[in-house]
Amino acid sequence: MANPASKNGYDVQIRYRTLSIHVENTKDEKVFLSRGKKDVATDPATAIRNIDVHQLNVDEVYRRYSIAPQVGLEASSVARKAKLGKNIISSPPTHYWKKIANYVFGGFNFLMWIAFILTVLSYQPLGGDDPAVYNLGVAVLLILVIVVSAGFYAWVDWHASRIMKSIKTLIAEEATVIRDGKRQTIPAADVVAGDLVCLTIGDRVPADLRLVSTSSDVRFDRSLLTGESDMIAGSVDPTSDNALETRNLALTSTFVVQGNCIGICFAIGDKTVMGRLVAMSGESKFKLTTVQREVWFFTKIISAGALFTFILSLIIWAAWLRTSFPGYLTASTAIINSIGCLTAFVPQGLPVCVALSLTIVAKRMAKRNVLVKNLATIETLGCMSVLCSDKTGTLTMGKMSVQNVAFLDQEFVVDDIRKRLQVTDASTPSAVRVLHLVARLCNGARFEDDSSTSTSVEERSVKGDATDTAVLRFSESLPTLDSSLLSDSHEKLFEIPFNSRNKWMLSVVRERKAAEDAHTWILVKGAPDVLFPACTHFLDADGQLQYLDSKSRSRLQALQMRWSGQGQRVLALCRRAPSTVVSKIDYFNTNPNTIEEAMYSEMQDLTLVGLVGIRDPPRPDVKDAVAIIRRAGVRVFMVTGDFKLTGVAIAQQVGIVTQEKIDTLAELRSSEYYNTFSQSSRHDIKPTDDDPIRALVITGDDIVTLTDADWDAIFGLYTEIVFARTTPEQKLRIVEEAKLRGDNTVAVTGDGVNDAPALKASDIGVVMGSGSDVAKDAASMVLLNNDISSIVDGIEMGRLVFDNLKKVIMYLLPAGNYSEFMPVFANVFLGMQIALSSYLQVCFCITNDVVMSIALMYEKPEADLMLRKPRNARTDRLTDWRFFVQVYLFIGLMMWPAAMSMWFLYLSQHGFGFYDVILVYNKWADGWKGYTIDELTHFVSVGQCCYYVAIVFAQYGDLLAVRNRRVSLLQSNPFWGPRRNLIIPVGMLLTVIIAIVNLYGKGLQDVFLTAPIPGMFWGIPFAFGAGILIMDEIRKLIVRTYPKSFIAWIAW
């Protein structure tokens, strides 16, 4: 079921707590009487106060919903109740007027509105009795710009959201229910009131449930509702009269993080507590991503500069030009020319490209079946410097299978045991039957299908974690040993499921025989290094009980080391008879917590039945993906709950560890470089390019003892690290300590409940599509096809979006900002006729700038993009001083003088010298240099068009130059090869056509005073564009040849 509440952040948690307080105030009826005629039935506090299912005993709950334990709803009841609606929480209402207002006034559109209003004023009333049609034309053009921009923003937003919604539907949210006495897995949306719902570790609660059966250790994560990270114990009995506080209700969108339980659904969809909170929360708040925040900051700076120069030009006109040079500029003309300050400063293509990046990212990620919850995830991936990866199910396939079985005196390959059992070979170890019993009955997994003959064991669907699934399939696959008969002949009395803290599972089973003949066994399965100390005896292969002495322990540990070194997960299978005290427990009427405490006291004097070695092969794509990620400057660490040798073996297989010498904590502390960072800032704690590659293995026991100095040395000196035998709390601490140092942007991959805290605390949480619901909720990116190479795609995409936006700004500023502003500056301060009309400025901003900016956003990655160091999110900004040196002191300093030279060259052909054009002010009037005012106006119009065409073609050189930061155009042209981008030549052709239409369109000539220009002014600007490109090619050559030179140092 969709979880819209996750979008609302702390708002849901605040409303949950507020609602809980209101529900507590049951005696204050005035609160509700004061509501007047409002329908109190729809009030969330009233509705939740009316919940009483938690106060009923279990039998009363079954009677209320007319269902029987272990049977659930009948098909006819399900069909009837399904008509009442789906179990789906409605999304918060969308305030479309806010969206429309953002489209219309967002970005630089508000500056366009200012320009539009002032242009209309300059037409009337400031235009007088004979207002210039030109002014009205510019006003129409500006409103057209606003409409087109708003429409484009709306289309991009709609398109991106549609793609993301389609991807989210690929995540199947399911629920396990009991109907007609059978367990069924159904879509969560099909759950109905009265359903008997079964929950296990890692499941999301699909609806509001009244718990009727729980394991002793069941725990829920309610942080989405309460904001508190502590696990909440589940209970069958009520613990509070308040439905929001009692522990015998499991509420929608919370998670089972430990144990298992069964509950009866009493509310679905919008009638759940979460549904009511979402309805109260209203529309989710919009949050800016990192890049959007930087662009917004840049927009504010640019807008402030535009408004300042606009106001300054009007002040100068009013205070100086109007009085000192009467007739030079009328009020209407001064406003129109000053509008150039607004349009010149506005890089109109920038907000378009930021919006477009949403669609580009969404499409690319959709193609790879990657669910990205927001654009910020991709941007952050571009900054990622540390990747902490879980092992099982992430680096490995998560398809475990038992490969080896060993008793203390014999070791077997599983296939060998199967063959011996098939031929009833006398050499079959007798202990195999005991091992089979422990493997089958001390197991948290189960087959979902009823038939054992319809499909092979390997193809049958299993509900449970990968380790239990492997052991279950192994026990089921042993010939002549009937697992179903074994299950039917034993009754499970109690169970403590596996958890990451104990690292073992315990089951109490009893034979289904007469009481005096029935044997009860305590069966335990778990990590050998945890269970070996609790073992005092062992079964040999013949099934004989032997004492476990120190020599035998050494043999077992050596075997564990050998199997772990091969990358196998090793499990110890043990049993014991219960003590006299425990054997007298009434398992059906004793509090589960009391039983659990008693079982902990039984974790001694165990008999080791045998060891099993489980193989989980690495994913085929992981090694190449790790290599690419490491080449991109990202350190990859393994964080696993497995034994250290198993973790190291897999790390070596996938390329996380490449060094033969792997340090331990003791070796680290005794090394000569241990105190390297004792005086360093936390920002500097990271390996340098000159440091050798070092490898380290740290265990969970080590982590408990680590000091700040240890953490500094770990993250400052080591490139290859394996953290083994870690608990969820330790995984969380690893992430937090990594984030504290070296300006690290930390990503975490995982798929299980144990990974959820670390996933949530990381900068980027990445979970496999096959992962648990808890992990998916905590993560910000879901790899639906379980392909870890998608992370590589995400890193590249994050870097590419940032890189291309940087190029867009680099392209826009020299012409769209610098070269357009200089004519306005010369007009106001130097008394020259404006060299680029307001119409041509606006036209250039909305056509050339936008078209070419979009072309740049579709640029493919440069060859070295994935070889660069990760961007430091704290210090590396979208623009910096090097960037502005390139814009204003290199490209821009070539472009605007080149364009201005075309203005002066054209006027010089008609007898105007330099000082006949500049510092003229109001002399440019009828009779100046023997020309009439109409002729002078024509010269200005043609000169403006010459300037316009010059920056159109000069900008081609800028465009081709900014495509690459280091590589020559000859190696990455837009026409063919890996950097092919045919949108660029198409865009160039389109801008030429626009220029031709502007200059030769009869209607445009009449309204906007454009005019054809001499042929030479179409040709010379090509040389300007080529010159800019050649100069930048020379700069790049110097940077490549002399990487430590001054030119390389100031390179953007």
Side-chain angles (χ1 to χ4, degrees):
M1 183 174 59
N3 182 23
S6 61
K7 302 175 184 176
N8 294 332
Y10 296 113
D11 187 49
V12 166
Q13 297 162 9
I14 292 168
R15 291 183 181 276
Y16 176 86
R17 187 53 55 207
T18 304
L19 202 56
S20 178
I21 294 171
H22 282 188
V23 173
E24 289 286 356
N25 296 331
T26 55
K27 296 181 181 180
D28 190 2
E29 297 297 333
K30 293 181 181 179
V31 173
F32 301 97
L33 292 173
S34 64
R35 297 183 184 273
K37 296 182 179 180
K38 181 178 177 181
D39 183 8
V40 294
T42 62
D43 176 68
T46 304
I48 292 172
R49 182 181 291 104
N50 291 334
I51 295 174
D52 63 351
V53 68
H54 60 294
Q55 297 173 327
L56 305 177
N57 64 42
V58 173
D59 291 335
E60 289 174 332
V61 177
Y62 278 117
R63 284 197 296 272
R64 170 175 289 189
Y65 291 97
S66 304
I67 57 175
Q70 309 302 322
V71 176
L73 290 175
E74 297 177 350
S76 57
S77 297
V78 172
R80 185 178 69 256
K81 293 185 177 187
K83 296 177 182 178
L84 300 177
K86 289 282 189 179
N87 179 33
I88 298 173
I89 296 176
S90 303
S91 298
T94 301
H95 296 158
Y96 289 103
W97 68 269
K98 288 184 179 179
K99 280 181 170 286
I100 293 171
N102 187 55
Y103 299 147
V104 174
F105 298 102
F108 291 109
N109 274 358
F110 81 97
L111 287 180
M112 295 294 101
W113 276 108
I114 294 173
F116 168 73
I117 293 169
L118 292 172
T119 306
V120 171
L121 291 175
S122 70
Y123 179 73
Q124 280 293 354
L126 298 178
D129 296 332
D130 187 21
V133 178
Y134 174 90
N135 295 355
L136 182 60
V138 172
V140 171
L141 180 63
L142 287 170
I143 199 67
L144 184 63
V145 170
I146 293 169
V147 171
V148 171
S149 297
F152 183 82
Y153 297 150
W155 177 81
V156 168
D157 187 25
W158 170 80
H159 192 57
S161 62
R162 187 172 61 88
I163 293 172
M164 297 312 295
K165 284 179 181 177
S166 68
I167 288 286
K168 288 181 181 180
T169 60
L170 298 177
I171 298 183
E173 295 185 3
E174 299 176 332
T176 300
V177 298
I178 299 176
R179 292 177 177 175
D180 290 324
K182 298 178 182 178
R183 286 193 180 225
Q184 305 174 29
T185 299
I186 63 172
D190 292 343
V191 172
V192 298
D195 256 327
L196 203 56
V197 181
C198 305
L199 299 173
T200 59
I201 183 171
D203 286 348
R204 180 198 294 270
V205 180
D208 285 355
L209 309 178
R210 165 59 161 94
L211 300 181
V212 294
S213 173
T214 65
S215 64
S216 60
D217 64 336
V218 70
R219 299 290 186 274
F220 292 91
D221 176 1
R222 283 192 175 187
S223 59
L224 182 65
L225 291 173
T226 65
E228 299 167 0
S229 58
D230 295 338
M231 294 188 297
I232 305 297
S235 167
V236 173
D237 302 317
T239 58
S240 170
D241 290 338
N242 187 341
L244 298 183
E245 303 297 333
T246 186
R247 296 186 176 184
N248 66 343
L249 297 185
L251 301 180
T252 307
S253 296
T254 59
F255 295 93
V256 182
V257 292
Q258 194 170 299
N260 53 69
C261 60
I262 297 176
I264 295 176
C265 172
F266 67 88
I268 62 171
D270 291 335
K271 293 183 180 180
T272 62
V273 170
M274 178 59 77
R276 298 182 188 278
L277 290 174
V278 171
M280 291 172 65
S281 299
E283 189 175 21
S284 57
K285 296 179 181 177
F286 174 74
K287 292 183 179 180
L288 293 174
T289 68
T290 307
V291 166
Q292 286 172 332
R293 203 160 35 242
E294 289 211 22
V295 170
W296 176 235
F297 176 76
F298 179 75
T299 301
K300 287 190 289 186
I301 297 298
I302 290 291
S303 300
L307 287 171
F308 173 77
T309 54
F310 171 74
I311 294 170
L312 180 63
S313 66
L314 289 181
I315 290 173
I316 290 173
W317 169 79
W320 175 46
L321 295 178
R322 184 173 58 88
T323 57
S324 300
F325 304 100
Y328 174 48
L329 293 173
T330 64
S332 176
T333 306
I335 290 175
I336 286 294
N337 287 355
S338 296
I339 283 173
C341 295
L342 297 179
T343 56
F345 271 88
V346 173
Q348 192 67 27
L350 183 58
V352 170
C353 289
V354 173
L356 188 62
S357 64
L358 289 165
T359 298
I360 295 173
V361 167
K363 277 188 174 180
R364 181 86 174 265
M365 294 297 98
K367 190 175 181 180
R368 295 299 303 267
N369 269 342
V370 175
L371 168 59
V372 182
K373 294 184 179 177
N374 52 59
L375 180 62
T377 301
I378 294 298
E379 295 169 6
T380 310
L381 273 172
C383 305
M384 183 176 74
S385 55
V386 170
L387 173 61
C388 295
S389 179
D390 179 43
K391 179 181 75 69
T392 305
T394 304
L395 298 173
T396 62
M397 297 181 69
K399 296 180 179 178
M400 297 186 179
S401 59
V402 177
Q403 300 290 306
N404 298 291
V405 173
F407 306 99
L408 185 64
D409 52 344
Q410 287 191 55
E411 183 178 339
F412 303 91
V413 176
V414 169
D415 288 342
D416 183 34
I417 290 182
R418 290 184 183 132
K419 290 177 181 177
R420 294 189 185 201
L421 287 170
Q422 283 177 335
V423 297
T424 61
D425 193 331
S427 62
T428 301
S430 301
V432 167
R433 296 184 180 277
V434 183
L435 186 79
H436 174 248
L437 181 142
V438 179
R440 190 67 175 83
L441 299 183
C442 185
N443 201 307
R446 62 176 178 79
F447 289 108
E448 291 192 304
D449 54 313
D450 296 325
S451 173
S452 60
T453 58
S454 57
T455 54
S456 67
V457 172
E458 295 303 319
E459 294 175 348
R460 291 176 66 186
S461 178
V462 177
K463 178 82 170 180
D465 69 33
T467 303
D468 277 341
T469 297
V471 176
L472 178 66
R473 292 190 193 280
F474 160 70
S475 65
E476 190 76 7
S477 68
L478 294 178
T480 72
L481 299 180
D482 193 333
S483 293
S484 59
L485 182 63
L486 188 66
S487 299
D488 292 340
S489 63
H490 287 79
E491 178 184 17
K492 185 172 289 189
L493 302 176
F494 187 76
E495 182 176 277
I496 299 177
F498 176 89
N499 66 65
S500 57
R501 295 166 188 79
N502 295 337
K503 299 193 182 299
W504 48 258
M505 176 184 181
L506 178 147
S507 295
V508 181
V509 299
R510 182 170 58 198
E511 293 177 328
R512 297 182 188 273
K513 294 181 178 179
E516 62 276 6
D517 298 326
H519 286 92
T520 301
W521 292 102
I522 297 176
L523 310 178
V524 185
K525 174 179 92 261
D529 42 314
V530 176
L531 295 182
F532 281 167
C535 294
T536 55
H537 296 79
F538 69 92
L539 287 184
D540 62 19
D542 294 328
Q544 300 300 311
L545 189 66
Q546 306 288 344
Y547 178 70
L548 189 62
D549 55 21
S550 57
K551 183 178 180 180
S552 300
R553 290 180 187 276
S554 298
R555 288 180 61 185
L556 288 171
Q557 290 168 352
L559 177 62
Q560 181 192 8
M561 294 286 187
R562 179 158 55 83
W563 281 3
S564 297
Q566 297 168 1
Q568 294 187 62
R569 173 176 289 183
V570 185
L571 292 181
L573 277 62
C574 311
R575 74 172 183 178
R576 66 158 291 175
S579 63
T580 305
V581 175
V582 172
S583 62
K584 295 180 180 179
I585 292 177
D586 181 353
Y587 289 94
F588 300 102
N589 296 305
T590 305
N591 187 296
N593 292 325
T594 303
I595 301 175
E596 183 173 355
E597 290 177 9
M599 289 304 148
Y600 278 101
S601 66
E602 297 292 281
M603 288 297 294
Q604 57 184 329
D605 298 329
L606 299 178
T607 297
L608 176 67
V609 175
L611 300 178
V612 294
I614 301 174
R615 183 173 179 268
D616 185 13
R619 294 182 184 273
D621 59 317
V622 166
K623 189 168 186 177
D624 291 339
V626 168
I628 295 172
I629 292 171
R630 292 191 61 175
R631 281 200 299 271
V634 180
R635 289 185 289 169
V636 184
F637 304 153
M638 177 187 286
V639 184
T640 179
D642 252 330
F643 189 60
K644 68 177 182 179
L645 291 183
T646 305
V648 168
I650 297 296
Q652 289 173 329
Q653 292 175 33
V654 300
I656 291 176
V657 172
T658 60
Q659 303 300 298
E660 292 186 8
K661 175 69 172 68
I662 303 175
D663 292 345
T664 62
L665 178 59
E667 291 170 325
L668 165 63
R669 286 172 171 168
S670 62
S671 67
E672 58 182 337
Y673 39 78
Y674 176 75
N675 292 314
T676 302
F677 301 100
S678 58
Q679 304 299 321
S680 300
S681 162
R682 286 191 180 274
H683 301 299
D684 299 325
I685 300 176
K686 52 188 171 184
T688 66
D689 293 338
D690 298 327
D691 286 343
I693 296 177
R694 301 185 181 99
L696 175 71
V697 60
I698 295 288
T699 67
D701 292 338
D702 294 335
I703 291 174
V704 175
T705 68
L706 294 180
T707 63
D708 283 346
D710 293 331
W711 286 112
D712 290 346
I714 288 170
F715 290 118
L717 298 170
Y718 289 90
T719 307
E720 304 175 344
I721 308 177
V722 173
F723 295 97
R725 277 287 187 253
T726 57
T727 64
E729 293 81 8
Q730 289 171 340
K731 290 183 179 183
L732 176 61
R733 188 181 177 193
I734 291 166
V735 172
E736 291 174 338
E737 295 290 347
K739 288 172 66 176
L740 282 175
R741 294 164 174 81
D743 286 338
N744 286 321
T745 297
V746 181
V748 172
T749 66
D751 66 343
V753 176
N754 298 336
D755 304 315
L759 286 166
K760 190 173 292 185
S762 66
D763 296 300
I764 317 138
V766 182
V767 67
M768 297 294 163
S770 57
S772 68
D773 290 341
V774 181
K776 288 177 183 175
D777 185 76
S780 49
M781 183 166 135
V782 182
L783 310 182
L784 297 172
N785 57 358
N786 301 318
D787 185 359
I788 198 171
S789 64
S790 298
I791 295 178
V792 175
D793 216 43
I795 294 173
E796 184 178 74
M797 198 66 193
R799 294 185 178 189
L800 183 61
V801 167
F802 191 86
D803 218 36
N804 285 350
L805 283 175
K806 202 176 183 82
K807 291 174 182 177
V808 166
I809 300 175
M810 178 70 72
Y811 164 76
L812 291 173
L813 293 187
N817 182 291
Y818 205 178
S819 299
E820 288 185 31
F821 175 69
M822 292 310 294
V824 180
F825 176 84
N827 175 250
V828 175
F829 292 94
L830 301 179
M832 185 180 80
Q833 293 297 301
I834 192 161
L836 188 65
S837 69
S838 295
Y839 163 73
L840 291 175
Q841 288 185 22
V842 173
C843 185
F844 192 89
C845 283
I846 65 170
T847 54
N848 293 54
D849 281 358
V850 173
V851 169
M852 295 312 223
S853 297
I854 291 174
L856 279 174
M857 282 309 298
Y858 282 96
E859 275 291 294
K860 295 175 182 175
E862 292 187 43
D864 67 339
L865 183 67
M866 290 296 284
L867 300 177
R868 300 175 195 165
K869 289 183 179 179
R871 180 171 65 88
N872 188 318
R874 184 179 66 88
T875 60
D876 295 342
R877 312 307 297 265
L878 197 59
T879 56
D880 55 17
W881 67 268
R882 290 182 174 89
F883 181 89
F884 288 112
V885 165
Q886 178 78 3
V887 169
Y888 292 114
L889 300 182
F890 188 63
I891 301 291
L893 209 53
M894 291 185 283
M895 188 176 294
W896 79 259
M900 193 65 78
S901 70
M902 294 295 93
W903 160 264
F904 281 103
L905 177 60
Y906 174 75
L907 292 178
S908 70
Q909 292 178 345
H910 297 277
F912 294 95
F914 181 75
Y915 288 105
D916 295 329
V917 179
I918 204 164
L919 300 176
V920 175
Y921 295 106
N922 57 351
K923 296 177 185 176
W924 192 275
D926 197 38
W928 179 246
K929 294 299 179 180
Y931 291 104
T932 65
I933 189 62
D934 290 339
E935 290 174 318
L936 291 174
T937 301
H938 177 72
F939 294 152
V940 170
S941 297
V942 177
Q944 289 173 343
C945 292
C946 291
Y947 191 103
Y948 166 69
V949 170
I951 59 174
V952 167
F953 290 130
Q955 208 173 23
Y956 292 167
D958 179 24
L959 177 70
L960 296 174
V962 301
R963 289 185 67 243
N964 305 290
R965 300 174 69 172
R966 300 286 187 275
V967 180
S968 170
L969 178 69
L970 299 177
Q971 277 78 50
S972 58
N973 69 82
F975 298 100
W976 64 83
R979 296 289 311 288
R980 186 175 75 161
N981 183 3
L982 296 179
I983 301 178
I984 284 181
V986 170
M988 289 179 173
L989 180 61
L990 186 59
T991 55
V992 171
I993 293 172
I994 292 170
I996 293 172
V997 171
N998 273 327
L999 271 57
Y1000 295 93
K1002 182 61 177 170
L1004 296 176
Q1005 290 176 356
D1006 294 340
V1007 176
F1008 297 111
L1009 306 180
T1010 58
I1013 61 175
M1016 65 179 294
F1017 292 95
W1018 283 100
I1020 296 175
F1022 273 106
F1024 295 151
I1028 290 173
L1029 178 60
I1030 291 169
M1031 288 296 294
D1032 197 64
E1033 286 290 304
I1034 294 171
R1035 180 192 66 82
K1036 291 172 185 171
L1037 179 62
I1038 295 172
V1039 170
R1040 293 195 303 271
T1041 308
Y1042 305 102
K1044 296 188 180 297
S1045 64
F1046 174 76
I1047 299 298
W1049 180 65
I1050 65 172
W1052 65 292

